[in-house]
Tab-separated table of all heavy atoms in Angstrom:
chain	number	residue	atom	x	y	z
M	27	ASP	N	13.997	-23.941	-13.010
M	27	ASP	CA	14.236	-22.497	-13.133
M	27	ASP	C	15.631	-22.084	-12.689
M	27	ASP	O	15.946	-20.894	-12.669
M	27	ASP	CB	13.186	-21.715	-12.345
M	27	ASP	CG	13.275	-21.961	-10.850
M	27	ASP	OD1	13.720	-23.053	-10.452
M	27	ASP	OD2	12.905	-21.061	-10.076
M	28	GLY	N	16.497	-23.035	-12.297
M	28	GLY	CA	17.869	-22.672	-11.964
M	28	GLY	C	18.440	-23.422	-10.783
M	28	GLY	O	17.870	-24.414	-10.296
M	29	LEU	N	19.587	-22.919	-10.306
M	29	LEU	CA	20.319	-23.537	-9.208
M	29	LEU	C	20.008	-22.837	-7.889
M	29	LEU	O	19.921	-21.607	-7.826
M	29	LEU	CB	21.825	-23.456	-9.464
M	29	LEU	CG	22.375	-24.234	-10.670
M	29	LEU	CD1	23.818	-23.822	-10.927
M	29	LEU	CD2	22.293	-25.737	-10.408
M	30	TYR	N	19.883	-23.635	-6.819
M	30	TYR	CA	19.631	-23.099	-5.487
M	30	TYR	C	20.646	-23.681	-4.511
M	30	TYR	O	20.999	-24.868	-4.593
M	30	TYR	CB	18.220	-23.441	-5.017
M	30	TYR	CG	17.129	-22.709	-5.752
M	30	TYR	CD1	16.652	-23.176	-6.984
M	30	TYR	CD2	16.566	-21.546	-5.235
M	30	TYR	CE1	15.647	-22.506	-7.658
M	30	TYR	CE2	15.552	-20.867	-5.904
M	30	TYR	CZ	15.105	-21.350	-7.118
M	30	TYR	OH	14.107	-20.684	-7.786
M	38	PHE	N	20.635	-13.941	4.606
M	38	PHE	CA	19.782	-13.511	3.495
M	38	PHE	C	18.317	-13.718	3.874
M	38	PHE	O	17.881	-14.847	4.098
M	38	PHE	CB	20.100	-14.300	2.220
M	38	PHE	CG	21.406	-13.937	1.582
M	38	PHE	CD1	22.500	-14.790	1.680
M	38	PHE	CD2	21.547	-12.759	0.878
M	38	PHE	CE1	23.703	-14.469	1.080
M	38	PHE	CE2	22.745	-12.425	0.280
M	38	PHE	CZ	23.835	-13.277	0.387
M	41	HIS	N	11.697	-13.835	0.797
M	41	HIS	CA	10.416	-13.140	0.635
M	41	HIS	C	9.481	-13.511	1.781
M	41	HIS	O	9.406	-14.669	2.178
M	41	HIS	CB	9.743	-13.550	-0.674
M	41	HIS	CG	10.481	-13.138	-1.901
M	41	HIS	ND1	10.468	-11.852	-2.381
M	41	HIS	CD2	11.253	-13.852	-2.750
M	41	HIS	CE1	11.201	-11.797	-3.488
M	41	HIS	NE2	11.693	-12.986	-3.728
M	47	CYS	N	12.934	-10.073	-0.723
M	47	CYS	CA	14.119	-10.787	-0.253
M	47	CYS	C	15.370	-9.909	-0.356
M	47	CYS	O	15.376	-8.886	-1.027
M	47	CYS	CB	14.325	-12.072	-1.050
M	47	CYS	SG	14.826	-11.806	-2.772
M	48	ASP	N	16.407	-10.368	0.322
M	48	ASP	CA	17.708	-9.703	0.239
M	48	ASP	C	18.424	-10.075	-1.053
M	48	ASP	O	18.044	-11.008	-1.757
M	48	ASP	CB	18.591	-10.110	1.424
M	48	ASP	CG	18.180	-9.436	2.717
M	48	ASP	OD1	17.757	-8.270	2.661
M	48	ASP	OD2	18.271	-10.084	3.778
M	49	ALA	N	19.480	-9.328	-1.343
M	49	ALA	CA	20.375	-9.621	-2.462
M	49	ALA	C	21.802	-9.572	-1.935
M	49	ALA	O	22.051	-9.168	-0.798
M	49	ALA	CB	20.172	-8.628	-3.591
M	50	GLY	N	22.745	-9.984	-2.760
M	50	GLY	CA	24.143	-9.987	-2.355
M	50	GLY	C	24.898	-11.057	-3.109
M	50	GLY	O	24.536	-11.406	-4.243
M	51	THR	N	25.959	-11.609	-2.483
M	51	THR	CA	26.769	-12.632	-3.138
M	51	THR	C	27.082	-13.765	-2.169
M	51	THR	O	27.186	-13.571	-0.958
M	51	THR	CB	28.091	-12.046	-3.660
M	51	THR	OG1	28.830	-11.483	-2.565
M	51	THR	CG2	27.849	-10.975	-4.716
M	52	ILE	N	27.243	-14.955	-2.740
M	52	ILE	CA	27.712	-16.142	-2.024
M	52	ILE	C	28.948	-16.632	-2.760
M	52	ILE	O	28.859	-17.047	-3.923
M	52	ILE	CB	26.642	-17.254	-1.986
M	52	ILE	CG1	25.387	-16.776	-1.256
M	52	ILE	CG2	27.197	-18.521	-1.337
M	52	ILE	CD1	24.235	-17.773	-1.294
M	55	ILE	N	29.354	-15.096	-6.074
M	55	ILE	CA	28.302	-15.354	-7.063
M	55	ILE	C	27.048	-14.584	-6.677
M	55	ILE	O	26.578	-14.693	-5.537
M	55	ILE	CB	27.975	-16.865	-7.143
M	55	ILE	CG1	29.247	-17.688	-7.392
M	55	ILE	CG2	26.932	-17.119	-8.217
M	55	ILE	CD1	29.962	-17.348	-8.670
M	56	PRO	N	26.461	-13.776	-7.594
M	56	PRO	CA	25.256	-13.007	-7.260
M	56	PRO	C	24.083	-13.894	-6.846
M	56	PRO	O	23.852	-14.949	-7.442
M	56	PRO	CB	24.937	-12.264	-8.564
M	56	PRO	CG	26.241	-12.177	-9.277
M	56	PRO	CD	26.957	-13.459	-8.957
M	57	VAL	N	23.362	-13.445	-5.819
M	57	VAL	CA	22.140	-14.112	-5.367
M	57	VAL	C	20.963	-13.485	-6.108
M	57	VAL	O	20.745	-12.279	-6.024
M	57	VAL	CB	21.962	-13.960	-3.843
M	57	VAL	CG1	20.629	-14.554	-3.405
M	57	VAL	CG2	23.110	-14.632	-3.107
M	58	LEU	N	20.214	-14.321	-6.823
M	58	LEU	CA	19.124	-13.827	-7.666
M	58	LEU	C	17.787	-13.802	-6.948
M	58	LEU	O	16.919	-12.988	-7.266
M	58	LEU	CB	19.011	-14.696	-8.926
M	58	LEU	CG	20.290	-14.861	-9.754
M	58	LEU	CD1	20.035	-15.804	-10.922
M	58	LEU	CD2	20.773	-13.510	-10.250
M	59	ASP	N	17.605	-14.719	-5.989
M	59	ASP	CA	16.331	-14.816	-5.281
M	59	ASP	C	16.567	-15.593	-3.993
M	59	ASP	O	17.509	-16.393	-3.906
M	59	ASP	CB	15.292	-15.529	-6.152
M	59	ASP	CG	13.865	-15.312	-5.664
M	59	ASP	OD1	13.668	-14.487	-4.748
M	59	ASP	OD2	12.946	-15.978	-6.187
M	60	VAL	N	15.720	-15.343	-3.007
M	60	VAL	CA	15.798	-16.075	-1.743
M	60	VAL	C	14.379	-16.445	-1.338
M	60	VAL	O	13.509	-15.574	-1.235
M	60	VAL	CB	16.449	-15.234	-0.621
M	60	VAL	CG1	16.676	-16.108	0.616
M	60	VAL	CG2	17.758	-14.614	-1.082
M	61	ILE	N	14.140	-17.751	-1.115
M	61	ILE	CA	12.807	-18.220	-0.758
M	61	ILE	C	12.893	-19.129	0.461
M	61	ILE	O	13.951	-19.692	0.764
M	61	ILE	CB	12.133	-18.970	-1.930
M	61	ILE	CG1	12.979	-20.176	-2.367
M	61	ILE	CG2	11.883	-18.032	-3.100
M	61	ILE	CD1	12.323	-21.013	-3.459
M	68	LEU	N	16.331	-21.171	0.682
M	68	LEU	CA	16.986	-21.522	-0.582
M	68	LEU	C	17.435	-20.256	-1.286
M	68	LEU	O	16.650	-19.300	-1.419
M	68	LEU	CB	16.045	-22.318	-1.491
M	68	LEU	CG	15.698	-23.730	-1.025
M	68	LEU	CD1	14.373	-23.703	-0.269
M	68	LEU	CD2	15.603	-24.690	-2.200
M	69	HIS	N	18.682	-20.271	-1.758
M	69	HIS	CA	19.273	-19.104	-2.410
M	69	HIS	C	19.493	-19.424	-3.885
M	69	HIS	O	20.305	-20.297	-4.219
M	69	HIS	CB	20.620	-18.755	-1.772
M	69	HIS	CG	20.571	-18.691	-0.279
M	69	HIS	ND1	20.538	-19.825	0.510
M	69	HIS	CD2	20.573	-17.618	0.566
M	69	HIS	CE1	20.520	-19.460	1.789
M	69	HIS	NE2	20.538	-18.135	1.850
M	70	LYS	N	18.775	-18.718	-4.755
M	70	LYS	CA	18.959	-18.931	-6.190
M	70	LYS	C	20.207	-18.177	-6.646
M	70	LYS	O	20.365	-16.982	-6.346
M	70	LYS	CB	17.743	-18.438	-6.968
M	70	LYS	CG	17.792	-18.761	-8.453
M	70	LYS	CD	16.514	-18.323	-9.158
M	70	LYS	CE	16.549	-18.692	-10.635
M	70	LYS	NZ	15.307	-18.265	-11.336
M	71	VAL	N	21.101	-18.865	-7.379
M	71	VAL	CA	22.367	-18.257	-7.806
M	71	VAL	C	22.571	-18.443	-9.299
M	71	VAL	O	21.985	-19.325	-9.926
M	71	VAL	CB	23.560	-18.864	-7.035
M	71	VAL	CG1	23.530	-18.434	-5.579
M	71	VAL	CG2	23.564	-20.392	-7.136
M	72	GLU	N	23.428	-17.588	-9.857
M	72	GLU	CA	23.732	-17.677	-11.287
M	72	GLU	C	24.521	-18.934	-11.606
M	72	GLU	O	24.341	-19.559	-12.646
M	72	GLU	CB	24.531	-16.446	-11.725
M	72	GLU	CG	23.733	-15.154	-11.755
M	72	GLU	CD	24.564	-13.994	-12.278
M	72	GLU	OE1	25.803	-14.128	-12.362
M	72	GLU	OE2	23.970	-12.947	-12.616
M	73	SER	N	25.441	-19.297	-10.715
M	73	SER	CA	26.287	-20.480	-10.914
M	73	SER	C	26.783	-20.947	-9.556
M	73	SER	O	26.594	-20.259	-8.538
M	73	SER	CB	27.472	-20.148	-11.833
M	73	SER	OG	28.250	-19.105	-11.275
M	88	ARG	N	20.342	-2.276	0.066
M	88	ARG	CA	18.996	-2.816	-0.138
M	88	ARG	C	18.403	-3.275	1.194
M	88	ARG	O	17.251	-2.973	1.505
M	88	ARG	CB	19.070	-3.976	-1.132
M	88	ARG	CG	17.750	-4.727	-1.360
M	88	ARG	CD	17.979	-5.890	-2.317
M	88	ARG	NE	16.830	-6.772	-2.418
M	88	ARG	CZ	15.860	-6.646	-3.310
M	88	ARG	NH1	15.898	-5.646	-4.187
M	88	ARG	NH2	14.850	-7.503	-3.352
Side-chain angles (χ1 to χ4, degrees):
D27 65 332
L29 295 169
Y30 290 83
F38 288 106
H41 295 283
C47 70
D48 285 324
T51 59
I52 299 174
I55 306 300
V57 175
L58 306 177
D59 197 8
V60 188
I61 59 176
L68 291 96
H69 311 76
K70 186 176 182 180
V71 290
E72 289 184 346
S73 59
R88 175 183 171 91

